[in-house]
Amino acid sequence: MQDITVKTATVQSVIHCGAGAFESYAHRLKERQLFIVTDSTVNKLYSHLLNSVFGESTPKFVIAAGEKSKNTRNLLAILQKMLESGMHRNCCVVAFGGGVVGDIAGLAAALYMRGVHLVQIPTTLLAQVDSSVGGKTAVDMDGVKNVIGTFYQPEEVIADPRFLSTLPKREIRCGLGEIIKHGLLNAEIFKKLKENEKRLTNLEFLEEVVYSNIAHKAKVVTEDEKETNGLRKTLNLGHTTGHALELLYGKLSHGEYVLIGTYYELQIARKYGICGGQYAKDVEKLICKVLKKVPSFDGIERAADLAVHDKKNDSELISVIVPKCEGECAEIKLNKEDYKQYLRQISDNLRG
Ligand SMILES: NC(=O)c1ccc[n+]([C@@H]2O[C@H](COP(=O)([O-])OP(=O)(O)OC[C@H]3O[C@@H](n4cnc5c(N)ncnc54)[C@H](O)[C@@H]3O)[C@@H](O)[C@H]2O)c1
């Protein structure tokens, strides 16, 4: 078990990472006034554990599992229940679940009485390696992803890979999407992924990579908490296209769309001559290992209309972060028509 620290201008978050972290650190939280947020699936699997550690009388809000729950209605319902439960300014919100729970509970913690304590206990691979670290909180509104949100750092994150043992294979694949993204930004992570291509979904291997992924994200957030110097923007690799496809089609999960987005953006980088040779082949192989089949989409050019409204763009141009060479990425700014054409071509090529 190891601790990683995120230090920003205003707070210092400690991430307890490793098998057994929950057992070692969760019981200390009992000393505070707690409010738990979780989802229906996680609650079914772990309510017994939560009751035994925090006590049955600890107030808890359970949202329905899935992205659709990340909405303003649930956000207000959480705040209402916090008020009804008599939560005071010193209370602590415990987000126990995947990225959906982490994002909405984090936002509720930021808003209640202008901000109360927050502890993230991520239970999916994606939440452990990515969403629980860095303080981005949000809900979706009117089909726009993460449009209402704020930066709000958790005081503590308890990332215990033991929770991954109940996670369906598909959710493991979703987490691998963000892990591969980190691999394209960090040569050491990429090397580990390449060397372990045959056991990417193996729990022992995942335990190893959770730590290096959190360490990478923690370093980026420490250096650029609010995406002001460009470093944190690199974490959006795969996301411009991924988010747009997620909004447009919505059948797969966030992590799967990120991985598909990474594949499409790799092909754009190839067309621009930014990424190529053996490295581009290795990246593609890794993505295909996890996705099995990269889908083509009917009407994919409509994704460009959504990508243009992405929060990452500061003009009418679409910002795409693409892989360049081991551990390095580049930003391309595309006009809408070019981006449409690339997406269409790549999708057509996949149809064969
Ligand atoms: N804040 C950030 O920086 C950030 C970064 C990346 C993604 N996100 C957000 O995270 C969300 C995706 O997160 P996610 O992939 O964790 O999705 P999720 O929270 O919907 O979890 C996926 C599924 O796994 C189930 N689950 C959770 N833990 C489990 C466990 N231990 N065993 C069995 N089932 C379990 C959940 O009930 C759910 O059905 C998206 O909304 C995305 O926008 C946020």
Side-chain angles (χ1 to χ4, degrees), residues 39-43 45-46 63-68 70 96-103 120 122-128 130-138 140 145-146 162-168 171 174-175 178 181 217 232 239 243 246 253-255 258:
D39 79 23
S40 49
T41 304
V42 179
N43 192 45
L45 289 164
Y46 293 108
I63 58 173
E67 177 71 26
K68 285 208 172 90
K70 221 174 91 173
F96 187 79
V100 165
V101 166
D103 278 8
Q120 294 272 2
T123 61
T124 62
L125 181 60
L126 183 142
Q128 293 192 355
D130 196 358
S131 62
S132 64
V133 179
K136 280 191 182 177
T137 72
D140 309 334
K145 217 175 138 55
N146 297 333
R162 283 187 185 160
F163 290 118
L164 306 181
S165 64
T166 52
L167 208 57
E171 296 302 335
C174 294
E178 301 286 3
K181 174 192 82 180
K217 182 146 186 195
R232 188 159 186 177
H239 283 65
H243 271 173
E246 186 177 358
S253 64
H254 175 78
V258 167

Side-chain angles (χ1 to χ4, degrees), residues 147-336:
V147 69
I148 312 281
T150 183
F151 287 93
Y152 197 70
Q153 297 294 342
E155 282 175 14
E156 253 179 275
V157 179
I158 301 175
D160 191 331
R162 283 187 185 160
F163 290 118
L164 306 181
S165 64
T166 52
L167 208 57
K169 272 263 151 30
R170 185 170 169 198
E171 296 302 335
I172 298 277
R173 282 212 304 275
C174 294
L176 279 166
E178 301 286 3
I179 290 176
I180 290 177
K181 174 192 82 180
H182 286 151
L184 302 187
L185 305 172
N186 179 309
E188 252 173 67
I189 298 177
F190 189 70
K191 186 165 171 267
K192 252 187 213 160
L193 291 171
K194 250 176 55 179
E195 285 170 359
N196 290 280
E197 254 178 24
K198 291 210 171 91
R199 55 179 209 123
L200 289 178
T201 56
N202 175 299
L203 282 182
E204 249 172 57
F205 169 67
L206 292 174
E207 247 180 56
E208 278 169 53
V209 287
V210 163
Y211 176 81
S212 45
N213 274 263
I214 293 178
H216 177 79
K217 182 146 186 195
K219 186 167 178 286
V220 171
V221 174
T222 296
E223 284 176 37
D224 182 21
E225 184 192 13
K226 297 194 174 161
E227 265 178 45
T228 41
N229 71 22
L231 185 62
R232 188 159 186 177
K233 210 175 180 187
T234 60
L235 296 173
N236 291 324
L237 194 150
H239 283 65
T240 300
T241 308
H243 271 173
L245 295 177
E246 186 177 358
L247 279 172
L248 200 54
Y249 299 100
K251 288 214 175 86
L252 306 174
S253 64
H254 175 78
E256 287 167 315
Y257 282 115
V258 167
L259 211 42
I260 297 166
T262 307
Y263 177 91
Y264 275 74
E265 292 176 5
L266 167 69
Q267 308 313 326
I268 294 177
R270 275 179 156 153
K271 285 178 193 291
Y272 266 73
I274 289 176
C275 185
Q278 190 55 43
Y279 178 63
K281 284 185 194 154
D282 288 346
V283 174
E284 186 169 319
K285 194 168 158 218
L286 207 52
I287 295 172
C288 294
K289 193 105 201 150
V290 179
L291 271 182
K292 310 281 187 250
K293 191 175 178 331
V294 184
S296 59
F297 297 91
D298 288 330
I300 192 169
E301 54 283 354
R302 287 173 298 152
D305 299 317
L306 297 168
V308 117
H309 296 301
D310 197 295
K311 299 185 296 304
K312 297 180 285 294
N313 300 317
D314 42 23
S315 66
E316 279 302 295
L317 294 176
I318 297 167
S319 160
V320 183
I321 307 290
V322 296
K324 188 175 168 191
C325 54
E326 279 200 32
E328 267 187 60
C329 61
E331 181 178 17
I332 307 179
K333 292 196 174 187
L334 291 155
N335 71 49
K336 202 160 101 175

